[in-house]
Every structure is written in structure tokens, then in C-alpha cells.
Amino acid sequence: MAHIHLEDGALGIQWLVLWNLAAAATIAVAIYLFGRAKPSTRKLAIAAMCIAVGFAVFQIEIPVFGGLHVNLTPFMGIIVGPVLGTMCVFVINVFSAAVGHGGWGMIGMNTIVNAVEGVIGYYLYRVLRVRLARSRFSSAFGATSVALAISAVLVVLMVAVSGIQGSNLSGEQTLANLTILAIADAVTGVAEGILTGYIVSFIGRIRPDLLGETEKGMKDTVSRHAEASSGV
Amino acid sequence: MSRRSYSKHIPDFRFVTFFAESGASIVHRMSPWTKAALLPLLVALVTVVTDLYWLLAIFALSIGFYAAGRLPVKVLIGWYTFPVIFVITLAVLFMFTVPGEALFQVRLLGTTISLTDKGLLLVATLLVRALTVVTYSLALFMTTRYNQIAHLAFRTMPKTMANLFLLSYRFMFETFDEVSDVLDAMHSRNGNLVKGVSRQGRLFAGIIGLAFVHAFERGERIGKAMEARGWTGSFPITDRVGMPGPGGYALLIIAAAMLALASYSRYFGTLLKGWW
């Protein structure tokens, strides 16, 4: 949803290089952090499966407003964590570029935007769920909606700064034109927030262990809240 | 091909793989290194070139490359749908505001909206650029075998990323079929994807949530099975991929020279301006 659906040639070459270098640095940090945690090979297999499903779901076209699709990047952040989530969105963007769903040159830009969604989604979910002890639905809904609203603004800013090749509009004019896009993205982000809320609640009911890492510390918080409310 | 693909607008991975594994055209026989190296050169070239006629010529070359791989041209039209929608979605925000000679005007709510020649040119240019790369990208994946892609991935990506990429590539076929099955189940119960916002949300959540839970369970099982068979986190590369031959090098040199010439002409030179 807050995915930059720019195809190749939309941005100038200098911006292509810049955004791809920034994404490469982000991925390098993610790989370093992932390696430092010495993950099990099983975790890699699970992440790969997650990418495969994420990509498969990404391709389902909802026949509304000429065709929408869900992004699920904040959800992936919630489920596999911010580091692995960043690596996952990069791979999804590579697959997407291979089938024309966003340009090859846009992989860098898309990865930055999607990584921001995943990271914000994860940390905000933890704040809402673990610290504030909100329900899974409202935590996931809040985290996803905010993450996608922020990424929608980020998308517009990145495109406005870079400029569309051949449009000869100023940065301010480009920004004004793209504001509609940001609003539409933020609105669809709320819809995706509701969807993510349902998904996380669903997974929490049938496989709560999958949310175990993300909700680490939850038990303590719950007991603290219970203690506080019972006056102990 | 998959048991059934979601849509004719999205390339089916099994269909793509079928052509990659079974084809024997001249493009299939080309070194994967040549084909892979041509991709960034092409992306850079369509980014740098601004003249619509030159872009059309490059697009024609891209179509020629696809056709030389003896790939089905008819399906390309369906696969172009999404790139075209993406370009139009963005360009529609610009095509009415780019200054130029008005081709068409309409008064709406006291404001004159005009489509200019430059606005139209912008859309056409963006479209041709996008379709050129999409065509080449599909041709690349439809003419390169899995083992060759695996080799390239291990040579060009960090090991962890290459593992993640190749594992998910292998899982992709299964998950596409699984998501298709769940969608089938929904359709067979007379459900559809736009039946009321609240029902749609829950319906989708069920589909996606179940797909993810299945994916995790399958990932865990596969991970355990692979570990039991001695998997340590990386794949052995079974196929060696030969370096480009003289023809491949010639192609790369020509593409690089075109890029250098186009870049010089656009950013530095006034000498080649008239010719270009």
C-alpha cells in the first residue's frame, strides 16, 4: 500500500544511486546484526517461508479503486522482528522487481520505506502490547496504521526531493501533487491496520508462540498491571 | 504453470520457471553473467536517455531480446497491466500540471484543467521506460535456469542474503499454490474479495493468517528436515556458470558505450547534443 509504485526511469540517475546506496547500508547493518545474534538455520527457513507468503499475498489484487494490494510489512516486522524483517522486505522487493511490480532501480527506495514500516511496526507494537498491555488487535492496528502513515509521508518526501524526471515541476509543486497520494496511502494504511489487527489476533489465538519473541516481557507487564489493579 | 495462477496480470513463477528450464533458444544459451550485467546497464540507460524516439528504439530491442528467447509475447500484454497502472497512477498527478501547450481543456468547479503536450510526453516517456525494463527483466528470468540464478546469487549477494533469497525462491511455488487454494475455498463458498468492509477484513485476515501459520509450520518442518540432513545454513552450488563469451563481452561493451554516450550527451556535452 505505501509501496512506491515507481517504475524504472522515473527518477534521475543520481537519486537512483543515492537511494540504493542508502538501502545497501541499511541491509548491511541488518545482516551484521542478524549474524551477531547467531540465529539458528531454522530461523532462516522460517524467514524464507515468511517471504514466500508475504510475496504471494502481496500479489493478491483486491478489485477496489482499480486494484489495491496489502503490504504486510509492519506485520512482518511484528512477526519476525525488525532486523530479519528488513532483510525480508529487501528480498520481497527483488522478487517484485523481477515481475515488474516496481522497478529494479526502485528497490533501494522501496526497501528503505518498507524497512521503516517494519521497524516502526515492531517497536510500536511492543510499546502498545508489552508496556501499555493493550489487546493484540488494538496494538497491531495502532502500530500498523501509524507505521504506514509515517511511511506514506516518507514516500512523498522522497519522491518530492528526488523529483520526477521530465516533469519540470518544483519540489513544492511535486509535493502538492503527491499529497493526494499520501492521503490515499494513509487511509488505506488504516484499512491495512484493521486487517493486521485481525491477523495478529488470529495468530495469537492459534499459535501464540509465534508472537513470543515480540511479546517478550508481556507476562511481567500483565502481572504488574494485575498487581496494580488489585492494589498489591 | 501453477495449478492456477491468481491473475493473468501477474507472472506465474511456475510458468516463468518452465520456460527457463526447458527453453533452448540463443538467449537461453547466453551466459547468465551477460544477461545479468545487461540489466543494470539497461536500467541506467533508460534513466539517462530522455528522447522518446531513442527510448522506443531501446524498447524495440528489449522486445526483440524477449522474442529471441522464444518466449510467449501474448502473455506480456497481460503482464504489462500492473506496470502501466503504476505509471498512470503517478503520471495522472503530473500530466495536468506540467506546463506546455494545451491539447485538451475542461472547466471543472471553476478551474480549468488542461492536458498539455509535455504532460502527455511525460506519461509516454515513463511508460516506455518502465515497459522496456519489465520486458527485459521477464526475459532474463524466463531464460535463466534456477541453478544459474543460484550461482549468480551466491556470487553477488552476502551469504545470508543469498540463502534467504534462494530458500524463499524455492518456497514460493508452494506458497503460491497454498494461497491459491485458500482463495479457491473462499470462491467456492460464494465469497469474494469486496463483499463488505468488515467481512472483507475478517475474510482476508483468515486467509493471510492461516497462510502465515501454515508457512511457519512448514518452515519449521523443512528447517528440521534440512538440519537432519546436514544443512548448515548454506546451499552447495552445483552448477558452474561460464563467463561471457566474445559475443557476450561485445554486447556488454556496446551497452556500456551507449550508456557512456547518452550520459555524456545529457550531462556534459554540447558537442553531441544535436546528433543525439
Side-chain angles (χ1 to χ4, degrees), chain B residues 29-102:
Chain B
R29 290 196 302 274
M30 266 174 83
S31 163
W33 284 112
T34 310
K35 289 185 274 187
L38 279 173
L39 179 66
L41 286 172
L42 185 68
V43 171
L45 190 63
V46 297
T47 305
V48 169
V49 173
T50 51
D51 187 292
L52 183 60
Y53 293 110
W54 278 107
L55 284 169
L56 283 170
I58 300 166
F59 182 41
L61 285 176
S62 186
I63 295 268
F65 183 82
Y66 184 92
R70 290 193 218 141
L71 303 170
V73 179
K74 204 175 148 191
V75 293
L76 256 186
I77 311 298
W79 292 347
Y80 279 165
T81 310
F82 273 110
V84 169
I85 288 174
F86 298 150
V87 171
I88 299 288
T89 308
L90 185 88
V92 82
L93 300 170
F94 289 86
M95 61 197 276
F96 296 103
T97 48
V98 173
E101 197 179 314

Side-chain angles (χ1 to χ4, degrees), chain A residues 8 14 29 34 44 54 116 157 229:
Chain A
D8 284 307
Q14 68 279 23
V29 171
F34 184 72
L44 208 61
V116 166
L157 288 177
S229 58

Side-chain angles (χ1 to χ4, degrees), chain B residues 170-206:
Chain B
R170 279 169 184 262
F171 294 160
M172 199 78 77
F173 305 99
E174 286 299 316
T175 51
F176 260 76
D177 284 343
E178 190 157 316
V179 174
S180 298
D181 285 346
V182 184
L183 287 174
D184 261 3
M186 178 191 71
H187 288 302
S188 66
R189 288 175 193 159
N190 208 19
N192 80 53
L193 297 177
V194 277
K195 205 179 255 181
V197 176
S198 65
R199 271 182 69 186
Q200 184 184 322
R202 283 183 191 274
L203 190 72
F204 255 114

Side-chain angles (χ1 to χ4, degrees), chain A residues 20-34 83-91 93-94 107-108 111-112 115, chain B residues 157-158 160-161:
Chain A
N20 280 306
L21 283 177
T26 309
I27 294 296
V29 171
I31 292 173
Y32 170 73
L33 293 174
F34 184 72
V83 172
L84 200 50
T86 300
M87 291 162 69
C88 288
V89 294
F90 170 73
V91 178
N93 280 319
V94 172
I107 288 176
T111 301
I112 293 168
Chain B
M157 288 182 181
T160 315
M161 200 50 97

Side-chain angles (χ1 to χ4, degrees), chain A residues 5-9 11 13 41-42 46 48-50 53 55-56 59 64 95 98 104 165 168 177 195 198 207, chain B residues 6 10 47 86 90 93 97 122 129-130 133 137 168 172 194 201 204-205 212 215-218 220 227 266:
Chain A
H5 287 135
L6 290 183
E7 295 289 340
D8 284 307
L11 303 186
I13 193 88
T41 49
R42 205 169 299 166
I46 291 171
M49 224 4 155
C50 214
V53 179
F55 180 68
Q59 306 301 322
V64 177
F95 283 130
W104 279 96
Q165 277 210 93
N168 65 27
N177 280 347
L195 185 70
Y198 284 138
R207 282 289 305 269
Chain B
Y6 303 161
I10 298 161
T47 305
F86 298 150
L90 185 88
L93 300 170
T97 48
L122 174 71
R129 280 176 171 146
V133 180
S137 172
S168 45
M172 199 78 77
V194 277
F204 255 114
F212 266 97
F216 269 97
E217 285 171 352
R218 192 174 288 184
E220 281 168 345
E227 280 172 2
R266 179 168 172 187

Side-chain angles (χ1 to χ4, degrees), chain B residues 98-130:
Chain B
V98 173
E101 197 179 314
L103 298 173
F104 170 78
Q105 280 187 327
V106 64
R107 275 191 75 76
L108 200 71
L109 303 168
T111 318
T112 305
I113 298 171
S114 55
L115 175 65
T116 63
D117 57 345
K118 289 208 171 125
L120 206 60
L121 188 69
L122 174 71
V123 180
T125 311
L126 290 177
L127 262 179
V128 175
R129 280 176 171 146

